[in-house]
Amino acid sequence: MNEWRQKNPLEWNKYVNKEVRVTASDKQQHQGWVYTVDPVSASVVLVDFQSTRKASVAVVMGHAVGEVEVLRDGDEAMAERLSAVFVPGGRQVLSQDELQRRKRCLRAWLEKNLIPVSEEGESLRVAGVLTVNPPYGPQDCSSANEIILSRIQGLVESNPG
Amino acid sequence: MKMPVCVLRLPRGPDLNSRGFDPNSPRYIALCPTTISAFSESGTDSCSLRDEQRTRSVLRERYLRSLIAMSQKQVWFNMHERVRVEAKFGASDIDVLNFQVSDLQTPLGIQKEALIRCPDVISYSFEL
Protein backbone atom coordinates (compact mmCIF):
# COMPACT_ATOMS: atom_id res chain seq x y z
CA MET A 1 0.00 0.00 0.00
CA ASN A 2 1.45 3.38 -0.89
CA GLU A 3 2.17 6.14 1.58
CA TRP A 4 -0.80 8.24 0.49
CA ARG A 5 -3.34 5.54 1.31
CA GLN A 6 -1.92 5.04 4.75
CA LYS A 7 -2.70 8.56 5.88
CA ASN A 8 -5.67 9.10 8.17
CA PRO A 9 -8.64 11.35 7.38
CA LEU A 10 -7.31 14.24 9.44
CA GLU A 11 -4.14 14.28 7.36
CA TRP A 12 -6.08 14.09 4.10
CA ASN A 13 -8.31 16.89 5.26
CA LYS A 14 -5.27 19.17 5.43
CA TYR A 15 -5.06 19.08 1.64
CA VAL A 16 -8.65 20.16 1.08
CA ASN A 17 -9.07 23.68 -0.36
CA LYS A 18 -5.42 23.78 -1.38
CA GLU A 19 -4.04 23.89 -4.89
CA VAL A 20 -1.82 20.87 -5.43
CA ARG A 21 0.05 19.03 -8.14
CA VAL A 22 -0.42 15.27 -8.01
CA THR A 23 1.92 12.93 -9.84
CA ALA A 24 0.15 9.70 -10.72
CA SER A 25 1.69 6.28 -11.16
CA ASP A 26 1.67 6.72 -14.95
CA LYS A 27 3.88 9.80 -14.46
CA GLN A 28 1.07 12.13 -15.53
CA GLN A 29 0.69 15.22 -13.44
CA HIS A 30 -2.61 16.74 -12.47
CA GLN A 31 -2.94 20.20 -11.01
CA GLY A 32 -5.99 21.62 -9.34
CA TRP A 33 -7.79 22.57 -6.15
CA VAL A 34 -8.47 19.66 -3.81
CA TYR A 35 -12.20 19.31 -3.31
CA THR A 36 -11.94 16.15 -1.23
CA VAL A 37 -10.02 12.94 -0.63
CA ASP A 38 -12.30 9.89 -0.51
CA PRO A 39 -11.60 8.07 2.78
CA VAL A 40 -12.61 4.72 1.24
CA SER A 41 -10.36 4.78 -1.81
CA ALA A 42 -7.99 7.68 -0.98
CA SER A 43 -8.82 9.17 -4.38
CA VAL A 44 -8.02 12.85 -4.77
CA VAL A 45 -10.68 15.00 -6.42
CA LEU A 46 -9.12 18.04 -8.11
CA VAL A 47 -11.04 20.94 -9.61
CA ASP A 48 -9.55 23.19 -12.23
CA PHE A 49 -11.29 26.45 -13.04
CA GLN A 50 -10.54 27.25 -16.62
CA SER A 51 -10.94 30.65 -18.18
CA THR A 52 -14.49 29.84 -19.23
CA ARG A 53 -17.12 29.45 -16.53
CA LYS A 54 -17.01 25.67 -16.73
CA ALA A 55 -14.98 23.70 -14.24
CA SER A 56 -13.11 20.54 -15.11
CA VAL A 57 -12.64 17.81 -12.54
CA ALA A 58 -9.80 15.28 -12.45
CA VAL A 59 -9.69 12.45 -9.93
CA VAL A 60 -6.56 10.44 -9.23
CA MET A 61 -7.35 7.03 -7.77
CA GLY A 62 -5.84 6.46 -4.33
CA HIS A 63 -3.79 3.44 -5.40
CA ALA A 64 -2.15 5.53 -8.14
CA VAL A 65 -1.23 8.61 -6.14
CA GLY A 66 2.49 9.23 -6.11
CA GLU A 67 3.69 12.63 -5.05
CA VAL A 68 1.39 15.38 -3.83
CA GLU A 69 2.92 18.85 -3.90
CA VAL A 70 1.05 21.74 -2.27
CA LEU A 71 1.25 24.84 -4.44
CA ARG A 72 -0.87 27.30 -2.53
CA ASP A 73 -3.61 27.65 0.06
CA GLY A 74 -7.13 28.61 -0.79
CA ASP A 75 -9.05 31.28 1.04
CA GLU A 76 -12.69 31.34 2.21
CA ALA A 77 -13.87 32.47 -1.20
CA MET A 78 -12.17 29.53 -2.91
CA ALA A 79 -13.57 27.10 -0.34
CA GLU A 80 -17.08 28.39 -1.07
CA ARG A 81 -16.48 28.27 -4.79
CA LEU A 82 -15.37 24.64 -4.57
CA SER A 83 -18.41 23.62 -2.55
CA ALA A 84 -20.69 25.41 -4.98
CA VAL A 85 -19.27 23.47 -7.94
CA PHE A 86 -20.87 20.23 -6.81
CA VAL A 87 -24.23 21.47 -5.71
CA PRO A 88 -26.84 19.54 -7.71
CA GLY A 89 -27.80 21.46 -10.82
CA GLY A 90 -30.57 24.00 -10.81
CA ARG A 91 -30.13 25.03 -7.22
CA GLN A 92 -29.40 28.69 -6.99
CA VAL A 93 -28.93 30.36 -3.65
CA LEU A 94 -32.03 32.41 -2.92
CA SER A 95 -32.04 35.48 -0.73
CA GLN A 96 -33.90 35.56 2.56
CA ASP A 97 -36.52 37.90 1.09
CA GLU A 98 -37.13 35.66 -1.86
CA LEU A 99 -37.46 32.61 0.42
CA GLN A 100 -39.97 34.41 2.64
CA ARG A 101 -41.96 35.49 -0.38
CA ARG A 102 -42.08 31.93 -1.70
CA LYS A 103 -43.15 30.62 1.68
CA ARG A 104 -45.96 33.15 1.98
CA CYS A 105 -47.05 32.51 -1.57
CA LEU A 106 -47.15 28.74 -1.13
CA ARG A 107 -48.95 29.02 2.18
CA ALA A 108 -51.62 31.24 0.64
CA TRP A 109 -52.05 28.82 -2.27
CA LEU A 110 -52.48 25.82 0.05
CA GLU A 111 -54.96 27.67 2.23
CA LYS A 112 -56.89 28.70 -0.87
CA ASN A 113 -57.18 25.00 -1.67
CA LEU A 114 -58.54 24.41 1.82
CA ILE A 115 -55.45 22.55 3.05
CA PRO A 116 -54.50 23.17 6.70
CA VAL A 117 -50.98 24.54 6.90
CA SER A 118 -48.91 25.90 9.77
CA GLU A 119 -45.41 27.26 10.06
CA GLU A 120 -42.66 25.43 11.91
CA GLY A 121 -39.57 27.57 11.88
CA GLU A 122 -38.47 27.84 8.28
CA SER A 123 -40.64 24.93 7.11
CA LEU A 124 -44.32 24.63 6.39
CA ARG A 125 -46.20 21.82 8.07
CA VAL A 126 -49.11 20.62 5.92
CA ALA A 127 -52.02 18.77 7.47
CA GLY A 128 -49.71 17.65 10.26
CA VAL A 129 -48.14 14.97 8.08
CA LEU A 130 -46.08 16.67 5.42
CA THR A 131 -43.22 19.14 5.64
CA VAL A 132 -42.15 21.62 2.99
CA ASN A 133 -38.63 22.94 3.38
CA PRO A 134 -37.04 25.94 1.71
CA PRO A 135 -37.00 26.74 -1.21
CA TYR A 136 -40.59 25.40 -1.20
CA GLY A 137 -40.54 23.61 -4.52
CA PRO A 138 -42.22 20.28 -5.33
CA GLN A 139 -38.92 18.50 -4.61
CA ASP A 140 -38.79 19.95 -1.11
CA CYS A 141 -41.84 18.15 0.22
CA SER A 142 -41.31 15.25 2.59
CA SER A 143 -43.86 12.97 4.18
CA ALA A 144 -44.31 9.41 5.35
CA ASN A 145 -47.58 9.15 3.45
CA GLU A 146 -47.10 8.59 -0.29
CA ILE A 147 -50.60 9.52 -1.32
CA ILE A 148 -50.61 12.82 0.46
CA LEU A 149 -47.08 13.47 -0.80
CA SER A 150 -48.02 13.07 -4.42
CA ARG A 151 -51.22 15.13 -4.06
CA ILE A 152 -49.45 18.02 -2.35
CA GLN A 153 -46.53 17.87 -4.78
CA GLY A 154 -48.98 18.24 -7.62
CA LEU A 155 -50.52 21.19 -5.85
CA VAL A 156 -47.16 22.85 -5.22
CA GLU A 157 -46.23 22.42 -8.84
CA SER A 158 -49.45 24.01 -10.01
CA ASN A 159 -49.00 27.04 -7.78
CA PRO A 160 -49.51 30.00 -10.09
CA GLY A 161 -47.70 32.47 -7.76
CA MET B 1 -15.11 2.76 -34.73
CA LYS B 2 -18.66 3.85 -34.00
CA MET B 3 -20.27 0.43 -34.69
CA PRO B 4 -21.54 -1.23 -31.51
CA VAL B 5 -19.70 -4.48 -30.93
CA CYS B 6 -21.46 -7.63 -29.75
CA VAL B 7 -19.19 -9.04 -27.09
CA LEU B 8 -20.78 -11.36 -24.62
CA ARG B 9 -20.06 -10.53 -21.02
CA LEU B 10 -21.59 -12.66 -18.31
CA PRO B 11 -23.14 -10.63 -15.50
CA ARG B 12 -21.39 -10.73 -12.16
CA GLY B 13 -23.22 -12.78 -9.54
CA PRO B 14 -24.47 -11.22 -6.32
CA ASP B 15 -21.99 -10.80 -3.50
CA LEU B 16 -22.50 -13.18 -0.59
CA ASN B 17 -21.87 -10.51 1.99
CA SER B 18 -23.17 -7.41 0.40
CA ARG B 19 -25.08 -5.99 3.32
CA GLY B 20 -23.69 -2.51 3.00
CA PHE B 21 -20.24 -1.61 4.16
CA ASP B 22 -18.80 -4.91 5.44
CA PRO B 23 -15.07 -4.71 6.13
CA ASN B 24 -14.97 -8.46 6.79
CA SER B 25 -16.32 -9.47 3.42
CA PRO B 26 -13.73 -11.49 1.48
CA ARG B 27 -14.12 -9.22 -1.51
CA TYR B 28 -13.34 -6.13 0.51
CA ILE B 29 -10.35 -7.64 2.26
CA ALA B 30 -8.92 -8.96 -0.98
CA LEU B 31 -9.35 -5.86 -3.06
CA CYS B 32 -9.59 -2.86 -0.83
CA PRO B 33 -6.83 -2.28 1.70
CA THR B 34 -8.63 -0.63 4.50
CA THR B 35 -8.02 2.79 5.95
CA ILE B 36 -9.59 1.62 9.19
CA SER B 37 -6.19 0.19 10.16
CA ALA B 38 -4.92 3.78 10.18
CA PHE B 39 -6.93 4.80 13.21
CA SER B 40 -6.47 1.60 15.18
CA GLU B 41 -2.71 2.27 15.16
CA SER B 42 -2.77 5.87 16.31
CA GLY B 43 -3.30 6.79 19.96
CA THR B 44 -7.04 6.57 20.23
CA ASP B 45 -8.63 8.78 22.75
CA SER B 46 -12.32 9.30 22.15
CA CYS B 47 -11.88 12.96 21.22
CA SER B 48 -9.49 12.38 18.35
CA LEU B 49 -11.55 9.38 17.25
CA ARG B 50 -14.61 11.57 17.08
CA ASP B 51 -12.75 14.21 15.09
CA GLU B 52 -11.43 11.57 12.77
CA GLN B 53 -14.88 10.11 12.20
CA ARG B 54 -16.38 13.51 11.58
CA THR B 55 -13.66 14.35 9.07
CA ARG B 56 -14.11 10.98 7.45
CA SER B 57 -17.84 11.63 6.94
CA VAL B 58 -17.28 15.12 5.57
CA LEU B 59 -14.68 13.89 3.10
CA ARG B 60 -16.85 10.95 2.06
CA GLU B 61 -19.91 13.11 1.56
CA ARG B 62 -17.96 15.44 -0.69
CA TYR B 63 -16.69 12.48 -2.69
CA LEU B 64 -20.24 11.15 -3.09
CA ARG B 65 -21.32 14.57 -4.32
CA SER B 66 -18.56 14.47 -6.90
CA LEU B 67 -19.89 11.08 -8.06
CA ILE B 68 -23.40 12.48 -8.33
CA ALA B 69 -22.10 15.40 -10.36
CA MET B 70 -20.41 12.91 -12.67
CA SER B 71 -23.40 10.70 -13.33
CA GLN B 72 -24.67 10.64 -16.93
CA LYS B 73 -21.69 12.71 -18.07
CA GLN B 74 -18.90 11.83 -20.50
CA VAL B 75 -15.85 10.79 -18.52
CA TRP B 76 -12.32 10.02 -19.74
CA PHE B 77 -10.58 7.19 -17.93
CA ASN B 78 -6.79 6.91 -17.94
CA MET B 79 -5.91 3.27 -17.54
CA HIS B 80 -2.62 1.38 -17.45
CA GLU B 81 -0.33 1.24 -20.50
CA ARG B 82 -1.45 4.73 -21.55
CA VAL B 83 -4.88 3.46 -22.53
CA ARG B 84 -7.44 6.25 -22.49
CA VAL B 85 -11.12 5.47 -22.91
CA GLU B 86 -14.23 7.56 -22.85
CA ALA B 87 -17.62 6.51 -21.50
CA LYS B 88 -20.79 7.81 -19.95
CA PHE B 89 -20.57 7.35 -16.21
CA GLY B 90 -23.41 5.44 -14.55
CA ALA B 91 -22.59 4.52 -10.99
CA SER B 92 -19.92 3.40 -8.59
CA ASP B 93 -20.11 0.63 -6.02
CA ILE B 94 -19.78 1.41 -2.32
CA ASP B 95 -16.12 0.40 -2.01
CA VAL B 96 -15.10 2.29 -5.15
CA LEU B 97 -13.95 -0.95 -6.73
CA ASN B 98 -16.05 -0.84 -9.89
CA PHE B 99 -17.58 1.85 -12.07
CA GLN B 100 -20.63 1.08 -14.16
CA VAL B 101 -20.47 2.91 -17.48
CA SER B 102 -22.38 3.04 -20.77
CA ASP B 103 -21.15 3.46 -24.34
CA LEU B 104 -17.58 2.67 -23.45
CA GLN B 105 -15.38 3.56 -26.43
CA THR B 106 -12.64 0.95 -26.58
CA PRO B 107 -10.09 0.22 -29.32
CA LEU B 108 -12.32 -2.75 -30.25
CA GLY B 109 -15.52 -0.80 -30.60
CA ILE B 110 -18.24 0.60 -28.39
CA GLN B 111 -19.41 -1.45 -25.42
CA LYS B 112 -22.98 -0.56 -24.69
CA GLU B 113 -22.68 -1.33 -20.97
CA ALA B 114 -19.52 -2.16 -19.04
CA LEU B 115 -18.00 -2.44 -15.60
CA ILE B 116 -14.62 -0.81 -15.22
CA ARG B 117 -12.45 -2.09 -12.39
CA CYS B 118 -11.12 0.78 -10.33
CA PRO B 119 -7.73 -0.80 -9.64
CA ASP B 120 -7.27 -0.61 -13.43
CA VAL B 121 -8.00 3.11 -13.50
CA ILE B 122 -5.19 5.53 -12.76
CA SER B 123 -7.20 8.70 -13.07
CA TYR B 124 -10.40 9.96 -14.61
CA SER B 125 -11.67 13.38 -15.61
CA PHE B 126 -14.82 15.12 -16.74
CA GLU B 127 -16.23 18.58 -17.31
CA LEU B 128 -19.05 20.18 -15.41
Side-chain angles (χ1 to χ4, degrees), chain B residues 9-35:
Chain B
R9 296 235 187 273
L10 296 175
R12 195 168 286 206
D15 279 333
L16 298 171
N17 303 314
S18 56
R19 288 256 173 263
F21 186 65
D22 181 4
N24 296 319
S25 71
R27 181 183 97 129
Y28 186 76
I29 291 173
L31 296 173
C32 198
T34 179
T35 62

Side-chain angles (χ1 to χ4, degrees), chain A residues 1 5 9-10 12-13 16 24-26 30 35-41 45 54-61 63-64 83 85-86, chain B residues 32-35 38 48 51-52 55-56 59-60 62-63 65-66 69 78 82 94-96 118-119 121-128:
Chain A
M1 210 204 303
R5 275 192 293 182
L10 295 167
W12 285 324
N13 199 33
V16 175
S25 59
D26 59 353
H30 302 267
Y35 174 65
T36 188
V37 177
D38 177 35
V40 171
S41 61
V45 179
K54 277 201 298 197
S56 73
V57 181
V59 179
V60 183
M61 302 299 296
H63 66 84
S83 305
V85 165
F86 292 99
Chain B
C32 198
T34 179
T35 62
S48 72
D51 285 338
E52 190 169 308
T55 310
R56 189 187 292 269
L59 290 175
R60 180 66 171 170
R62 281 163 81 102
Y63 184 69
R65 284 198 190 282
S66 79
N78 294 313
R82 304 206 171 276
I94 190 171
D95 302 320
V96 195
C118 292
V121 177
I122 296 181
S123 64
Y124 59 90
S125 61
F126 60 100
E127 303 226 339
L128 281 167

